[in-house]
Structures are given as C-alpha cells and as structure tokens.
Amino acid sequence: MSVEFAKDGDVLKIIVEQDTSGKDLEDASRRILDEKGVSKVSLDLKKCFYIQSKALAALIAFKKNSAKIGAEFTVTNVCENVFQVLEMANLTMYFTIEEDFSTYTPDELIEKFFEADYADRVSDYIVQYMNDDIRNKLYEILDSEDPTLKYYAILTLGRAHDYSSEDKIKAALESDTPQVAKAAVLVLGWFGDTDSKEKMYEFLDCDVEELREAAAASIALLSDDSDAERLGKLLQSDDPSVRTVTVQALTLINDTKAFNLLVDRVDKEENEAASAALIRAISSFNKEGVSDILIKALGSSFIKTREAAAGGLAKIKAKDKLSEILERVTDNDSWVGYFAVKACGEICTPVEAEKLKESFGHVDENVKLAIVEALGKINADFSDFYMTILEDENEDIRKEVLAALANDNKQLAAEAAGTLFIADQSWIVRYKALEILINLKPEGYLDLLKKGLDEDDNKYVKEKIQSVLDAI
C-alpha cells in the first residue's frame, strides 16, 4: 500500500509514498476517524520529493479529521520542493511542520549525511538514539572510502562515546582527505588517546588550516607538563600559520608556562595575524600584567593587533587602567585613539565619559565615530552633547549621532530627525532620520513624509517613504 500507518503509543504516524494517489490520500485521511486513543497524528513526507497541488486538499482533510478525534496534527520531514508548494499555497502557517527521524531506517539516516542541511541534525539524532543496527552501519562506513560518510561517522561515534571504534578511527589519521583526518583528530582528543598525540603534532605543520586547528585543540586536551615547552619551540617556526596555531594550543593549555611563552613572543612577532592571535590569547589568561601588555599593544604598528588589544581590554574590564587608556584617545596616531576608545567604551562610567566628550573636537573622524558609538554603550543620557555635534561635517557622524540621540532622548531625536529629514544634504542621514520618524511617529510626521516624497531626490528614501504610506 502507498500509505503506511504505524502507531507509537498515542502517536499515529502516516508515511506517504511519492506515487500515492489522491484517492489513497483521501481514504487515509478518513481512516483517522476510526482511530482511538490518539493524541497526535504525524504525516511523514520523507519519501515525497514533490507534491501536486491537487493533493493539498487531502492534506487539509488530514488536519480536519485529526481535530475531529481531538488529536494534534503535524507534517514531518518536508523537503524543500514540497515546502515551496505549501508556501505558494499559503499553507506553511496552517500546518505545523516538524522534523522526525524516528521513521528512518539506518540506511536512510546515513544517506542524509550527504545533505549539508541535514547532516549535523541527523548526527545529533543518532547520538541520542544509537542502537546496534546504526552502530554497525557506522562501523561499515569506517571501512569504506567515501570521505563525507566517514567524516560524519567518525564524529557521530565520537560524540556517542563509542570507544570500541577507537582503533578504526586511529586508522583514519592516515587518510589522504583532510576532512576525515580532522574528524579523527578531534575524536581521538575527546577519547584521551595520548598515543596519537605525535601524529597530531605533525598536523600542526600541514597546509590545511582546519586540520591544524583541530590538531592544536586535541594536543591541548591531551597535554601533559612537557607540551607547553614543546609547543613553545614551534613559536620560532618560519611559517606564521604554524606560529598562529601554536598560540591557539598554548591558549587552551592555559597554564603559567604557556602564558610566559606567549608573553616572550609578543615583541618578537613580525606577522600581523600571529601578533593579533598572541594578544587575543594573552587576554584570556587571568594573570598579573595582562592589562599592561594590552595597553602597550594599542600602539602596535598592526591594525589587527590594536583591535585585539582593544577587545581584550574590554573583555577583562581593565577599569584600573582606564586613565591610561583615555590618555591614548588623543594620540597622534588616530588608529591608536580609535582602538583606545573602543576599549574604554565598554568600561567607562558616565563620569569618565566626560573625557571622551572633551576629546571629540580634537580627534580625527574615525575616532569621533568611535566616541559616539562608545557613549551609546554607557548607561547615561548624553543627548545634550549629541545636540552640539549634530551638524558635524561628516555624514556618518551625523547619522550615528541621530541614532544615539534616539536611544537617549526620544523627544529631541524626533525634533532633530524632522529637521534633518528635510534639510540634510546627505541621503544617508535623511534615510536614518526617516527611520527614526517612522519608529517614533511624532505629531505631523506623515505630513513630513509626504513632503519628502515630493521633494527628495534619492530613490531609496522615496521608496521607503512610499512603502510606509502604502501600508497606512
């Protein structure tokens, strides 16, 4: 039969074949009325790759008849093609659409590993409901050659703590496919397989970034007292990618020896990516002197390092160094000032924010923007200050000031938005003003919108106004 009924407790599952006729669907929907003790009816479309519109009436009948017996109705395992048909018929809101892998055979579950949208979710399901049939199927895959299946089989067995598969997973370390080797490295790290650590060290010098990072993570998991020192030697590698991944491993080890090795490398590192990685790593250690290192890094010649330093200072809440950070806001190098503002914006109090306001007229435009953004993160009303800089020459600053003003003082924001919406030369500012007017809806704003529709010369502004007026 092209429609299969299966009862699991008080749940009735109905599996439909692709070639099920409209009559069979109608018959199946009527059969629901004969069911007793059912609280949920699940229509499984896992075998349907498309659906004709004439079958939609039968699906509606399924829901109606389920309601007649007091049962919830869901449609499960809907593929993209079927979903699009339901969407075009405006039925996605009518039906409850769910995912249910319980009706899949082991072979059908494994087949889903080939579908990127499903692979991770199927792996989650298998981990939760592992049984001997599925386990044996995964073992078979480990002896096969398909890299996609092997990758997910290894990860799934690892997440299910299947230590019986350890020898087969070790063999996958020799795979020519980086994806498969990566899965093996990760799982053997989870398993605590110290015998594989030497092989993982080899991967730190490979050409595949994801495999290097997996090796670094697993080495850290398997580390003993000797690993920090051994990894420290790799910080001298000629390859910056090796140095960067070594920084990652030492960060995960996170002991005093690892910290000292990272600190010793900071002033010697000449590669921007590796330098930024070092600063990010150091900020994750709860050690004395970290904030001093990060403040010094604000003056690095590398933009990424400065950014990492600013983020690190915010992360560790370096309030004891706030005065030093604020002093750098007006540094001759505007990027030093920019990242100093980024750092202190997360930790400033309203009192300390006065320094940012005082600095506004003495810094470059990028720093000014950072100051406006930083003030917006502080729990205080800076609307009086915003009003004084609302006519700044830089359009991006005017736009950000409008946004910040809307957060602190809605009345002033509405007044400013009304003025700039009509008068500002920049369409970017007018568009932001328009958004604020639409959101706050001050008295007379519709008249302003109609005026803008007639007079504004920017198509994006006019389209936005028209869409709002059409919706009224």
Side-chain angles (χ1 to χ4, degrees):
M1 185 177 178
S2 59
V3 181
E4 176 186 346
F5 280 69
K7 204 165 181 182
D8 182 9
D10 61 352
V11 178
L12 177 64
K13 297 186 178 183
I14 306 172
I15 303 174
V16 177
E17 297 284 346
Q18 176 60 63
D19 59 356
T20 301
S21 67
K23 182 179 182 306
D24 285 344
L25 286 173
E26 292 173 5
D27 291 343
S29 70
R30 284 193 291 270
R31 181 174 162 182
I32 291 174
L33 298 172
D34 300 326
E35 296 291 337
K36 306 293 182 184
V38 173
S39 67
K40 181 176 181 178
V41 176
S42 173
L43 184 66
D44 193 327
L45 301 183
K46 69 177 184 180
K47 297 183 179 181
C48 298
F49 305 108
Y50 64 90
I51 188 171
Q52 295 181 339
S53 58
K54 62 184 179 182
L56 296 177
L59 265 64
I60 293 173
F62 273 104
K63 180 167 182 175
K64 288 181 177 178
N65 290 340
S66 297
K68 287 179 181 179
I69 65 171
E72 175 191 0
F73 178 73
T74 62
V75 184
T76 63
N77 303 322
V78 177
C79 73
E80 183 62 28
N81 290 337
V82 174
F83 184 86
Q84 287 178 3
V85 174
L86 296 177
E87 198 170 39
M88 286 187 288
N90 294 313
L91 290 174
T92 53
M93 295 179 65
Y94 180 75
F95 294 121
T96 299
I97 300 174
E98 296 178 344
E99 206 166 57
D100 177 16
F101 295 123
S102 65
T103 62
Y104 281 69
T105 66
D107 284 332
E108 288 173 333
L109 286 172
I110 297 303
E111 194 69 22
K112 286 290 182 183
F113 283 155
F114 285 117
E115 300 180 39
D117 291 342
Y118 281 93
D120 289 330
R121 300 200 297 277
V122 168
S123 178
D124 290 341
Y125 176 82
I126 292 174
V127 169
Q128 187 174 359
Y129 298 101
M130 180 74 78
N131 58 42
D132 288 340
D133 288 340
I134 296 177
R135 182 179 289 105
N136 290 333
K137 181 61 64 174
L138 294 174
Y139 286 174
E140 289 177 20
I141 292 172
L142 294 184
D143 292 325
S144 73
E145 296 301 322
D146 189 285
T148 299
L149 292 184
K150 288 185 79 165
Y151 172 77
Y152 282 107
I154 291 170
L155 289 180
T156 303
L157 287 165
R159 294 173 59 224
H161 310 292
D162 192 288
Y163 293 98
S164 299
S165 62
E166 185 170 340
D167 287 341
K168 289 180 178 291
I169 293 174
K170 278 187 181 180
L173 288 173
E174 304 299 333
S175 173
D176 293 332
T177 305
Q179 182 187 36
V180 174
K182 171 192 168 184
V185 165
L186 289 173
V187 170
L188 293 171
W190 301 341
F191 283 179
D193 177 33
T194 55
D195 291 341
S196 299
K197 192 162 60 172
E198 289 303 316
K199 182 64 178 179
M200 295 175 189
Y201 267 100
E202 294 178 20
F203 289 134
L204 291 179
D205 197 17
C206 75
D207 295 330
V208 182
E209 182 178 2
E210 288 188 2
L211 183 51
R212 291 198 304 267
E213 291 177 349
S218 287
I219 288 170
L221 282 176
L222 301 171
S223 64
D224 54 36
D225 290 342
S226 67
D227 283 292
E229 186 173 347
R230 182 175 179 183
L231 286 165
K233 295 177 182 177
L234 293 176
L235 290 175
Q236 316 301 321
S237 170
D238 292 334
D239 186 342
S241 65
V242 174
R243 300 199 300 274
T244 301
V245 80
T246 301
V247 168
Q248 178 185 337
L250 288 168
T251 307
L252 291 169
I253 291 175
N254 210 258
D255 61 11
T256 299
K257 188 179 292 185
F259 176 72
N260 291 335
L261 286 165
L262 294 171
V263 172
D264 288 343
R265 182 65 195 176
V266 170
D267 291 335
K268 302 171 186 174
E269 185 54 63
E270 297 179 350
N271 175 268
E272 183 169 11
S275 174
L278 277 166
I279 294 303
R280 282 193 296 270
I282 287 170
S283 70
S284 69
F285 283 80
N286 184 20
K287 298 285 187 182
E288 185 178 351
V290 167
S291 56
D292 291 321
I293 294 169
L294 298 180
I295 287 175
K296 182 179 179 183
L298 285 176
S300 169
S301 59
F302 297 131
I303 290 289
K304 290 182 179 178
T305 302
R306 295 171 180 173
E307 185 176 10
L313 286 164
K315 182 172 71 174
I316 67 173
K317 307 291 185 191
K319 293 186 177 182
D320 59 322
K321 301 293 182 181
L322 192 51
S323 60
E324 294 180 51
I325 301 172
L326 286 168
E327 287 176 3
R328 290 176 175 262
V329 170
T330 53
D331 194 278
N332 290 332
D333 185 333
S334 67
W335 285 110
V336 173
Y338 174 84
F339 286 113
V341 174
K342 286 285 188 182
C344 66
E346 299 284 349
I347 53 181
C348 266
T349 67
V351 173
E352 293 156 337
E354 290 299 317
K355 174 68 174 178
L356 294 179
K357 292 160 60 177
E358 292 168 7
S359 301
F360 188 87
H362 308 286
V363 295
D364 289 349
E365 291 179 347
N366 62 332
V367 187
K368 287 181 177 180
L369 268 173
I371 288 174
V372 175
E373 292 172 1
L375 292 175
K377 296 177 181 179
I378 300 170
N379 187 23
D381 183 353
F382 297 109
S383 54
D384 289 344
F385 171 70
Y386 294 143
M387 293 300 292
T388 67
I389 59 173
L390 195 56
E391 296 182 3
D392 191 278
E393 293 180 359
N394 185 295
E395 62 182 18
D396 290 323
I397 292 174
R398 297 199 301 279
K399 178 174 80 73
E400 290 304 318
V401 169
L402 261 183
L405 190 59
N407 186 58
D408 284 5
N409 189 313
K410 289 180 171 48
Q411 181 178 343
L412 286 177
E415 294 173 5
T419 300
L420 294 182
F421 174 63
I422 298 299
D424 202 278
Q425 297 298 308
S426 168
W427 77 266
I428 294 175
V429 178
R430 297 198 303 277
Y431 195 94
K432 172 54 69 175
L434 173 60
E435 289 180 332
I436 292 172
L437 290 171
I438 294 168
N439 183 47
L440 298 182
K441 296 180 174 58
E443 185 178 350
Y445 87 100
L446 287 177
D447 291 334
L448 278 175
L449 265 58
K450 292 173 184 176
K451 180 179 175 64
L453 187 63
D454 291 335
E455 298 179 359
D456 205 291
D457 60 358
N458 181 268
K459 71 171 185 175
Y460 299 110
V461 174
K462 293 174 81 72
E463 287 172 359
K464 181 67 172 179
I465 296 171
Q466 190 66 62
S467 68
V468 173
L469 295 177
D470 289 344
I472 297 173

